[in-house]
Amino acid sequence: VQLQASGGGLVQSGGSLRLSCAASGFNVDYYAIGWFRQAPGKEPEGVSCISSTRYTNYGNTYYAESAKGRFTIFKDKDKNTVFLQMNSLKPEDTATYYCARAVFGSTPSCPGWPGSSGMGYWGKGTQVTVSS
């Protein structure tokens, strides 16, 4: 099981980034995938999560209050990748972003959300920096 996060970078306030979480060794369709972030000196926090899409087309999606209306999580099953589209970025979005996979598959929710207790596999982070 491997998760490769990418797409971070430096962007001005109000700009957009699309983070990618490329999966290998398993099918993203079967598992909940979440995005988490950690800023220096702060506790990790859940940003967004999408449930297993094995039995539905789009799954159930979850967002932190700070992300609602600005971020969109979705799966590309053909690419076996989960994306996080981030619009209207703010300096407080600056953090290292990680994607993670749930321990167990075929769940209609995101186990442990908004915490990470249900996640068992993590990719390396990608840095997002939003300048004011």
Side-chain angles (χ1 to χ4, degrees):
V1 174
Q2 287 191 329
L3 297 160
Q4 180 65 52
S6 62
L10 174 63
V11 64
Q12 288 187 332
S13 181
S16 298
L17 285 173
R18 177 175 288 188
L19 304 185
S20 302
C21 179
S24 59
F26 71 97
N27 191 327
V28 297
D29 207 15
Y30 289 7
Y31 293 88
I33 306 291
W35 284 96
F36 299 82
R37 69 186 182 188
Q38 186 168 21
K42 294 187 177 181
E43 292 293 315
E45 63 171 334
V47 178
S48 184
C49 186
I50 183 167
S51 70
S52 166
T53 47
R54 186 174 184 184
Y55 303 109
T56 64
N57 284 332
Y58 302 105
N60 293 310
T61 56
Y62 304 82
Y63 297 94
E65 283 298 320
S66 60
K68 287 180 181 177
R70 301 188 298 129
F71 295 2
T72 304
I73 189 170
F74 59 97
K75 292 182 181 179
D76 186 323
K77 300 175 186 180
D78 292 336
K79 296 180 179 179
N80 209 35
T81 298
V82 176
F83 295 94
L84 183 68
Q85 178 66 43
M86 305 189 296
N87 299 328
S88 302
L89 283 162
K90 304 175 182 179
E92 50 264 44
D93 294 317
T94 295
T96 302
Y97 285 69
Y98 302 87
C99 60
R101 196 205 85 175
V103 174
F104 302 109
S106 300
T107 55
S109 64
C110 284
W113 176 262
S116 61
S117 62
M119 300 294 162
Y121 300 89
W122 294 79
K124 293 182 179 179
T126 185
Q127 178 67 37
V128 172
T129 303
V130 184
S131 63
S132 57

